[in-house]
Amino acid sequence: PLLWREETVCRMARELERYRPEVLEANPSYLARFSRAAARMNLSVTEPEIIVFTYENPSLLHLRQIREVFAAPFASSYGSTEIGYAFMQCECGAYHLNSAACRADFVPLEGAAPGVGSIRATPFGNEWVSLLRFDPGDFVRLGKPGSCPCGRNGTVLVEEIEGRLKSLTRSAEGRPVTQAELDRALAAESPLVAYQLVQRGRADYEITAVFDRPSHSGMLDGLRDILTGLYGRKTSIRIEERQEIAPEASGKYLLAKSPFAEAFTPP
């Protein structure tokens, strides 16, 4: 996506017009990048009936940028190569277990907010391998059983996908901070277009920030205040501004990275 030019974005818009998909399945960070460019270029886009996000957990910033161009409803799917589609987001925003295809057990994350922990998935009917309580490496926040207004209340309910183990950071006092908790805090910083936070040490953090306008000291101070509110006042926070943030070798964008993530592995 760093190589996309204006003609690339125009071609994508023409393809949407030509194929007119009823369901548009998209990597959220890539669709957000397309949406920012389409908005900047004042392009009209063909609307699908629904947009389903896959491959990455969408940032609130991604959703905000996509919504500037697309009015279609959003839904996220959750799964992996090993377990298939385990959870699907309903029209009310909650994630419901695909109980016909797998079982999910919950393991609380020590030190995190109540209901936050990892899942252990046992898929059914995999013809290639048998997996029991497989750890896909993600954290979730459970919802109250039977509480979803959509009425699909017969299975495990997840309110939010909280992010990857590799994206789990900790405060200076050792409290775990999930990717989603970080994202919810930073989404309030409206000038941000994209970011990546890396924890370098116990109280040492570096954030790469892409802004939608020229920055000034007030914007940087506001960003630093948000991070010190999450990680503690006795922290070192460095802010690096860039025009772009490159994806990982996998093609995914990591919103947060920590070399200490394995220390959070649940028992």
Side-chain angles (χ1 to χ4, degrees):
L2 297 184
L3 301 178
W4 292 357
R5 301 181 297 276
E6 287 194 354
E7 52 265 38
T8 313
V9 176
C10 289
R11 176 179 58 79
M12 293 177 180
R14 290 195 302 270
E15 289 173 349
L16 280 173
E17 171 65 24
R18 177 183 176 186
Y19 292 106
R20 294 184 172 273
E22 293 183 3
V23 178
L24 179 61
E25 188 175 64
N27 179 322
S29 64
Y30 287 31
L31 187 59
R33 180 179 289 271
F34 168 80
S35 298
R36 292 199 305 272
R40 184 179 67 251
M41 298 164 62
N42 200 29
L43 294 177
S44 60
V45 297
T46 301
E47 290 277 359
E49 294 295 320
I50 187 172
I51 295 172
V52 176
F53 298 121
T54 188
Y55 199 60
E56 290 179 350
N57 192 33
S59 163
L60 294 174
L61 295 177
H62 296 151
L63 301 182
R64 181 185 301 160
Q65 293 156 17
I66 295 168
R67 185 54 77 207
E68 290 182 4
V69 175
F70 291 94
F74 298 156
S76 283
S77 60
Y78 173 80
S80 72
T81 301
E82 297 86 356
I83 63 177
Y85 281 94
F87 288 88
M88 188 68 197
Q89 194 175 30
C90 73
E91 61 271 26
C92 298
Y95 293 80
H96 296 265
L97 177 66
N98 181 7
S99 57
C102 69
R103 170 191 171 96
D105 297 295
F106 178 75
V107 181
L109 174 61
E110 184 177 354
V116 174
S118 62
I119 60 171
R120 299 290 187 269
T122 301
F124 308 143
N126 190 320
E127 298 180 358
W128 299 98
V129 65
S130 295
L131 298 172
L132 295 176
R133 290 173 58 83
F134 173 76
D135 182 4
D138 294 288
F139 293 99
V140 302
R141 187 173 74 250
L142 290 182
K144 184 179 179 182
S147 63
C148 188
C150 79
R152 302 178 184 91
N153 290 312
T155 62
V156 175
L157 181 68
V158 166
E159 283 188 357
E160 187 70 71
I161 308 297
E162 289 286 325
R164 301 286 294 164
L165 170 62
K166 67 177 66 176
S167 295
L168 195 67
T169 53
R170 74 165 71 201
S171 71
E173 292 75 30
R175 183 183 70 85
V177 178
T178 65
Q179 174 185 298
E181 183 180 1
L182 171 66
D183 192 63
R184 288 189 290 268
L186 290 178
E189 184 70 18
S190 56
L192 273 178
V193 170
Y195 68 89
Q196 184 180 77
L197 182 131
V198 180
Q199 184 169 10
R200 301 293 187 187
R202 181 176 179 83
D204 187 11
Y205 308 87
E206 179 180 290
I207 185 168
T208 302
V210 180
F211 293 105
D212 64 0
R213 67 193 74 166
S215 66
H216 53 75
S217 59
M219 288 167 56
L220 300 180
D221 290 343
L223 182 57
R224 186 173 283 104
D225 286 344
I226 290 173
L227 295 175
T228 54
L230 272 179
Y231 294 103
R233 294 291 172 183
K234 296 181 179 180
T235 56
S236 170
I237 296 174
R238 295 183 301 280
I239 302 175
E240 179 184 357
E241 292 185 64
R242 290 187 190 172
Q243 295 299 312
E244 302 281 0
I245 298 176
E248 306 297 305
S250 65
K252 294 183 179 182
Y253 283 86
L254 290 183
L255 303 182
K257 300 167 69 173
S258 172
F260 311 104
E262 293 300 326
F264 295 104
T265 304

